[in-house]
C-alpha cells in the first residue's frame, strides 16, 4: 500500500513565523502552501517553495479567506463568484512565485473555513474548482473525502484526490469537527497513528456523533501549525512505514 502525507505550510507573514516548515518538509511528500489570503506573503511563498523544491516535495496552492487575524478559520460572507475570484488571485500569485523558484504547482486545496464551506456547499465547491481550472486546466484538486469539493472536481473532469486528517475529529456527515469544539483536534501521536492504521485497514473513520463512516483517501494531512506537529508527522511516517505502507506523493514532484 502507498499513500501521500501532506501538511499546510507557509503560514507565516513578514517577520512572523508559524510552525517548523523546514522540519515538516523533511517528512511529508506534499505541501499545501498558503498564498496570501489567510497567511503568507511573496517572500514567505518564495522561501517555502524553495524548501519544498530542495526536499523534492509535491506542491499545491492553499487559498483561504483574506483573514490573517483569524488564520482563515472564520467564514467571511462572500458569493460563490467572489470566492472564485479570491481563489484565482491567490493561486495565480503562488504560481507566479513558483515560476521564479522553478517548481510546479500541481494541485489546489482550499484552506480552513473556506475548505469546510466548500465541503458542504456545492456552489462554493464548484466556484473554487472552476477558478483553479481556468488558471491551469491540469491542476488537480485535493478534497476532504466524501464531500462536495470532490464531487465538483469530478463534475468538471478535474483530477481529484481525497484526503483524511491525522489530527482532526470527524462528524457523521464526513466533515471535520469545527475548531474550538470538543474532539476537534488530536494531539497525541499514538492515538493518531492507531486511528490511521485502523482506517487504512478497514476504510472506516470514527466520528464523534455516530458509528464510523466509510471514507476513501490517497493522502493524509497533518496540520503544520499544531503543537508538536513535526514530531507527530515523523511518528506517523515511521509507524506507517514500519507497517509496510509506502509514503509517496499522490502527484510526483
Amino acid at each position: 500500500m502507498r499513500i501521500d502525507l501532506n501538511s499546510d505550510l507557509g503560514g507565516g507573514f513578514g517577520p512572523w513565523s508559524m510552525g517548523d516548515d523546514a522540519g515538516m518538509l523533511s517528512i511529508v511528500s506534499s505541501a499545501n502552501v498558503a498564498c496570501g489570503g489567510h497567511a503568507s506573503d511573496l517572500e514567505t511563498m518564495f522561501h517555502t517553495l524553495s524548501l519544498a523544491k530542495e526536499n523534492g516535495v509535491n506542491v499545491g496552492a492553499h487559498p483561504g479567506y483574506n483573514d490573517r487575524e483569524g488564520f482563515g478559520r472564520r467564514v467571511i460572507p462572500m458569493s460563490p463568484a467572489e470566492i472564485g475570484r479570491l481563489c484565482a488571485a491567490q493561486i495565480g500569485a503562488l504560481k507566479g512565485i513558483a515560476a521564479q523558484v522553478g517548481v510546479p504547482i500541481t494541485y489546489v486545496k482550499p484552506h480552513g473555513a473556506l475548505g469546510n464551506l466548500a465541503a458542504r456547499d456545492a456552489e462554493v465547491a464548484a466556484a473554487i474548482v472552476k477558478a483553479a481550472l481556468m488558471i491551469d486546466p491540469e491542476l488537480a484538486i485535493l478534497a476532504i473525502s466524501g464531500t462536495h469539493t470532490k464531487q465538483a472536481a469530478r463534475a468538471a473532469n478535474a483530477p481529484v484526490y481525497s484526503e483524511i486528517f491525522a489530527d482532526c475529529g470527524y462528524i457523521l456527515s464526513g466533515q471535520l469537527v469545527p475548531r474550538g469544539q470538543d474532539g476537534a483536534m488530536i494531539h497525541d501521536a499514538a492515538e493518531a497513528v492507531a486511528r490511521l492504521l485502523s482506517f487504512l485497514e478497514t476504510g472506516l473513520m470514527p466520528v464523534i456523533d455516530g458509528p464510523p463512516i466509510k471514507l476513501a483517501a490517497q493522502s493524509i494531512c497533518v496540520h503544520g501549525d499544531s503543537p508538536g506537529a513535526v514530531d507527530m508527522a515523523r511518528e506517523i511516517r515511521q509507524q506507517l512505514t514500519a507497517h509496510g505502507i509506502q509514503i509517496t506523493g499522490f502527484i510526483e514532484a
Side-chain angles (χ1 to χ4, degrees):
M1 178 185 292
R2 54 185 285 177
I3 197 161
D4 175 67
L5 189 61
N6 80 75
S7 189
D8 303 340
L9 302 176
F13 175 67
W16 295 279
S17 61
M18 177 175 284
D20 180 2
D21 285 1
M24 193 66 81
L25 283 165
S26 71
I27 299 167
V28 299
S29 45
S30 295
N32 322 308
V33 179
C35 34
H38 65 284
S40 198
D41 55 29
L42 299 180
E43 291 305 310
T44 301
M45 289 183 222
F46 184 86
H47 179 67
T48 308
L49 291 169
S50 297
L51 285 173
K53 182 180 180 180
E54 289 174 13
N55 285 274
V57 171
N58 186 35
V59 178
H62 198 39
Y65 284 117
N66 286 327
D67 175 31
R68 297 189 195 280
E69 296 82 1
F71 201 61
R73 292 189 176 134
R74 303 177 294 188
V75 173
I76 297 175
M78 299 176 72
S79 70
E82 290 172 327
I83 287 174
R85 290 188 284 274
L86 173 80
C87 291
Q90 293 182 35
I91 297 166
L94 189 70
K95 282 183 69 68
I97 299 299
Q100 293 194 336
V101 175
V103 63
I105 302 300
T106 57
Y107 67 95
V108 172
K109 171 189 168 180
H111 166 80
L114 181 60
N116 289 337
L117 178 61
R120 63 179 183 268
D121 188 312
E123 289 188 27
V124 170
I128 293 172
V129 171
K130 180 180 179 181
L133 297 183
M134 287 182 72
I135 291 174
D136 183 348
E138 295 186 0
L139 283 172
I141 305 297
L142 182 58
I144 300 173
S145 180
T147 61
H148 282 295
T149 308
K150 184 173 182 178
Q151 296 169 17
R154 282 183 169 173
N157 293 317
V160 59
Y161 301 88
S162 295
E163 71 172 343
I164 57 169
F165 289 79
D167 51 2
C168 293
Y170 281 82
I171 57 178
L172 198 57
S173 66
Q175 297 171 31
L176 303 178
V177 178
R179 292 282 186 127
Q181 291 189 16
D182 289 343
M185 298 299 296
I186 297 172
H187 298 293
D188 182 78
E191 179 184 352
V193 167
R195 190 180 71 158
L196 286 173
L197 289 173
S198 176
F199 169 80
L200 292 172
E201 181 179 352
T202 66
L204 296 174
M205 177 63 71
V207 301
I208 66 169
D209 54 350
I213 58 174
K214 189 78 173 178
L215 296 176
Q218 292 82 47
S219 186
I220 298 167
C221 179
V222 179
H223 282 94
D225 62 301
S226 300
V230 172
D231 290 339
M232 178 177 284
R234 184 178 296 110
E235 181 69 12
I236 287 170
R237 179 163 188 141
Q238 289 174 348
Q239 291 299 321
L240 293 185
T241 301
H243 284 78
I245 300 166
Q246 180 184 5
I247 304 300
T248 184
F250 61 88
I251 299 173
E252 293 300 324

